[in-house]
Structure formats: C-alpha cells, structure tokens
Amino acid sequence: MLSRPGGRWLRPLSVLPLGARDPPLVRASAGGVQRSAPPVWAAAASVSAVPGSWYEALAASAPVQGTEQVLLGVHSATGLPWWACIALTTAALRGAVTLPLAAYQHYILAKVENLQPEIKSIARHLNQEVAVRANQLRWSKRVARLTYLKNMRRLVSELYVRDNCHPFKATVLVWIQFPMWIFMSVALRNFSTGATHSEAGFSVQEQLAADGILWFPDLTALDSTWILPISVGIINLLIVEIFALQKIGMSRFQTYVTYFVRAVSLLMIPVAATVPSSIVLYWLCSSLLGLSQNLLLRSPRFRRLCRIPLTKSDSDTPYKDLLAAFYTKFISRK
C-alpha cells in the first residue's frame, strides 16, 4: 500500500492487478439597386445547393434563420448600413459569447497547469509502487504498464473532479464558436444570394449591393482586389503565431496541430476570394476581434478580473515578452 506523503493524496492508493475490476470513474458549445446579372459564384452555388442536399437543409435550418433574424433586427434597430451591421453584430457576439467562454477556458487550463506538479509526484510514487508489486507478483512488463496506466487515469480523474477542472471543459469554446461561425456565414450567404427578404419587402440582396464601403461597395460581389481575403489569412496567421510563441517545448502533436492550423489559415485566402464580400467582411471582423481577445487574455489585470488562477508560466510583462519572442523568431534569426 502506497503511503501519502504529507497526507496530500486523496486516499491511499490500491494497486489493482490486471483483470481486476476498475473503480467507477467520474466523467467529467434600402433602397433598390438594379442588378445586371448574378455573379458567377451565385450560379455555381445554386447548382451545388440542389433540393434535398445537406447544404439546403443547413441554409433553411432554425439556427441559420434565427441568425438572419438577429442580423435583420440589428439593421432595423440601428439604421446602420449593412457593412456596419455586420461588424457590430460580430463584435456583440464576440463580446457576449466567445469572450466569457475564452476566459473560462483560460481559467480551466490554468487550474490544470497548477495540478501538474501534484500529478508528477503521484506518477513518480505510483511508478515505484507498481515496480515493487511487479517484482513481488512477477508481473510481465505489459501487465505492470497496464496496471500503472489504469491507476494513473483514476487518480488524475479524481484530481480533476476535486478541483472541478476537467480539461474537456476547456473545449466548450470550440463547440460554441465554430457552429456560430457557420451559422453567421450561411446566413450572410443567404442574404447575398437573394434567398432572404426583409420585413419591409425589400430584397436584402439589393440592400447589401448598395451598403458596402471603401473598395468593396457591393457586399454581394467578390473582392476583386483580394485585400479582404489576404487580410483574413494574415490575421489568422498572427493568432496562430501568438499561440505558438507562448508555448515553450511543444509536444510533437502540438507542433503538428500548429502546422495544420497555419496551412488552414493560408487556405482561407483562396476560399475567401470565392465568396461574397459580406461573408469575408464577417470573417475579417471575427478574426480581428479574436486577435484582440487573445491579447486581452494575456493581460495580468484582466486575468485577475476574471479570477484566472496564477500559474508558473504567467508573466508580469506579457506584451513585452511577446514582442521579444516575435523579434527573436522572425527578425533577428540568422
């Protein structure tokens, strides 16, 4: 029986031989404009969205229709042009939904990080006890390894339950943010293809065609300058690099994931060049706010405001450290 150093363990460890029954585990998202002809992408989209297709079902689903009503409500209540309504709605959703969830994600991850010394201590003592039992009972290496893993999973799960910080809770942001991104994109596509009409009887497509700004006055057309698509790719790459710079000694899996997300960020550029400017504008606003959100969550003052626990990796000068790391990696590298 493994003793608890200093009484810090949850309960004495009982090593279970292979085949023994495991103890139950606690298992811890306005005006009309004449259109000469529909754009090429609209014709292609109409061909792909055949009756009964999965995309048609998604475009007519309740979440997408609800998103359309939110956008129409913001446009009706504020009287702003559509480009401003898209930006305002994106900012509101980011501030009211994703920012609190992102702060909660950092809260969970900070508690998990603070558990690592205790987990390493348990792993060391458990490994010693399994080695003793394996020698006494003449277990094979496979039996000893499986016994160690089963007990380690149980003990770590008990720690997560004790501190209410199961890592799966940190994924809530993804399960909420990604569907919201899909629903907004599809709703804006419905607007741009003329599939939705406003309450006043005017075609939202015609309103979008006259409510652009700067070099994209027509929000239903493609951005022929590629400024919006390239901006989306650059901002997403910045988000990825900020994440990579704050991670020291990434595992092989984390490295592969980082490279994959970089590739997706670059792939978003040609994809964004084939969809209406209204959708790309939303993507750009969402990415800019996501970048700002990531920087905000590095602020010690904001983290204290959100009651995110202090960790060993926290810095009093996060922005200075980020600039120094960026300079070392991309500028001063020989």
Side-chain angles (χ1 to χ4, degrees):
M1 188 68 67
L2 179 63
S3 61
R4 296 181 290 177
R8 289 173 296 178
W9 284 34
L10 294 175
R11 58 186 175 87
L13 173 65
S14 175
V15 179
L16 302 178
L18 185 65
R21 194 170 192 177
D22 287 325
L25 297 181
V26 180
R27 303 187 183 274
S29 166
V33 176
Q34 295 295 325
R35 304 287 293 168
S36 57
V40 176
W41 60 263
S46 64
V47 174
S48 62
V50 295
S53 69
W54 66 269
Y55 183 84
E56 186 181 50
L58 174 63
S61 64
V64 172
Q65 291 180 353
T67 304
E68 293 175 358
Q69 293 303 314
V70 169
L71 287 166
L72 290 173
V74 172
H75 183 257
S76 175
T78 63
L80 295 172
W82 269 108
W83 69 265
C85 287
I86 294 173
L88 178 62
T89 304
T90 306
L93 290 175
R94 276 281 183 175
V97 180
T98 59
L99 180 57
L101 289 177
Y104 179 71
Q105 180 187 59
H106 280 250
Y107 172 82
I108 294 295
L109 294 178
K111 296 185 74 173
V112 171
E113 181 178 344
N114 289 335
L115 277 177
Q116 294 312 304
E118 188 172 357
I119 291 175
K120 290 179 181 179
S121 176
I122 291 175
R124 183 173 62 255
H125 288 84
L126 177 61
N127 188 55
Q128 293 173 355
E129 182 178 347
V130 170
V132 171
R133 287 297 185 91
N135 185 53
Q136 293 174 347
L137 303 177
R138 299 185 182 279
W139 291 345
S140 65
K141 291 184 178 180
R142 178 176 176 272
V143 171
R145 183 63 179 170
L146 290 177
T147 302
Y148 169 82
L149 291 176
K150 286 194 295 183
N151 282 274
M152 194 64 201
R153 280 195 296 266
R154 174 175 60 83
L155 291 168
V156 171
S157 178
E158 289 174 351
L159 289 179
Y160 290 154
V161 171
R162 184 195 71 184
D163 288 5
N164 192 23
C165 63
H166 197 287
F168 183 77
K169 294 182 178 181
T171 67
V172 173
L173 174 64
V174 177
W175 299 115
I176 298 297
Q177 181 175 340
F178 185 69
M180 188 171 65
W181 185 83
I182 292 293
F183 298 149
M184 278 286 293
S185 299
V186 175
L188 289 170
R189 183 189 177 279
N190 286 346
F191 286 169
S192 300
T193 57
T196 303
H197 298 270
S198 66
E199 296 178 355
F202 294 101
S203 171
V204 180
Q205 183 185 27
E206 294 179 350
Q207 296 176 11
L208 287 171
D211 272 356
I213 193 175
L214 300 176
W215 68 91
F216 51 100
D218 185 352
L219 291 175
T220 67
L222 309 181
D223 181 9
S224 59
T225 66
W226 279 56
I227 295 177
L228 288 176
I230 292 176
S231 299
V232 170
I234 291 175
I235 298 301
N236 287 334
L237 278 176
L238 279 175
I239 295 174
V240 176
E241 294 308 321
I242 288 176
F243 173 80
L245 288 174
Q246 68 185 13
K247 293 294 182 181
I248 301 176
M250 287 194 301
S251 65
R252 181 176 298 181
F253 176 75
Q254 289 175 323
T255 301
Y256 289 155
V257 170
T258 301
Y259 279 115
F260 173 75
V261 178
R262 283 174 180 152
V264 171
S265 300
L266 292 175
L267 184 62
M268 284 294 294
I269 296 176
V271 171
T274 62
V275 298
S277 297
S278 59
I279 300 177
V280 190
L281 176 62
Y282 163 64
W283 291 352
L284 179 59
C285 292
S286 181
S287 296
L288 282 171
L289 290 167
L291 176 61
S292 303
Q293 172 181 294
N294 286 337
L295 293 175
L296 178 63
L297 285 167
R298 294 173 68 91
S299 167
R301 181 176 299 179
F302 185 78
R303 292 175 71 87
R304 287 195 298 269
L305 180 64
C306 296
R307 297 184 179 181
I308 299 174
L310 287 173
T311 65
K312 187 178 180 180
S313 61
D314 284 347
S315 170
D316 294 331
T317 58
Y319 304 117
K320 183 179 179 180
D321 296 343
L322 181 62
L323 288 175
F326 186 87
Y327 179 83
T328 301
K329 182 175 182 179
F330 297 105
I331 300 178
S332 66
R333 183 175 56 181
K334 297 182 179 179

